[in-house]
Amino acid sequence: APVASAGHARDARASADGGLATGSTVWDAGIVLARLAASSLSAAAPSVLLDLGSGTGHVGLTAAACAPPGAVAAVVLTDLPAVRPLLEENAEANRGAMPAGVAVRVRDMRWESPESVAAVAREVCGLRRAPPGGGPPGGV
C-alpha cells in the first residue's frame, strides 16, 4: 500500500480520482516517461527538469540520474503541499544517485493558484539563466 502523509490522504479522498492517492503511486507511464526524458537530454545543452505533479518524484529524479553526465543542471519537483513530505523524503533518499552538481529542489504548487504557478515558473527561468559552470544553488 502507498505511504502518504495524513494531509495527502485527506486531499486524495477529496480529489477527482476518488481517493486513489495518485501522488504516492509510481505509474507505469512514469517509468516510460523518465526513460524517454533521460534519453532526450544532452550535455551540450544542460537542462532544468521541471516535474509537474511529481508525486513520488520518480520521473524527475530518474531522468536526472540516468541522463548523460552534464545534461542536467537542476531538477525542480512540484506537487501539492500535502505530498511534499513524501517528495522531500524521496529526493533526499536519491540524492546520492544524482550526478555531481545537479541541484534538486522540491516546491509546493497548486494549479488553482496563479501565484503558486508563477513562483515555480520564475524559479525555473532563473535556474535556466544560471551562469555556465556556476550552476544553480542546491537544496531541497
Side-chain angles (χ1 to χ4, degrees):
V3 176
S5 69
H8 179 247
R10 183 180 55 255
D11 286 353
R13 283 190 299 276
S15 72
D17 69 9
L20 294 175
T22 58
S24 56
T25 302
V26 175
W27 298 96
D28 292 344
I31 296 167
V32 174
L33 180 59
R35 182 178 295 173
L36 175 66
S39 67
S40 300
L41 299 168
S42 166
S47 298
V48 174
L49 301 180
L50 173 60
D51 188 350
L52 300 171
S54 302
T56 63
H58 171 78
V59 172
L61 294 170
T62 301
C66 296
V72 177
V75 180
V76 180
L77 306 169
T78 68
D79 214 314
L80 297 170
V83 179
R84 187 172 183 154
L86 174 63
L87 192 50
E88 286 178 334
E89 184 178 331
N90 287 341
E92 187 58 37
N94 287 283
R95 191 168 303 282
M98 295 297 110
V102 174
V104 178
R105 296 179 176 196
V106 177
R107 299 295 182 252
D108 294 340
M109 192 166 96
R110 290 188 166 280
W111 289 105
E112 71 276 11
S113 167
E115 297 83 13
S116 176
V117 174
V120 170
R122 281 191 301 275
E123 181 171 7
V124 170
C125 288
L127 289 170
R128 289 182 48 94
R129 291 189 198 102
V140 171

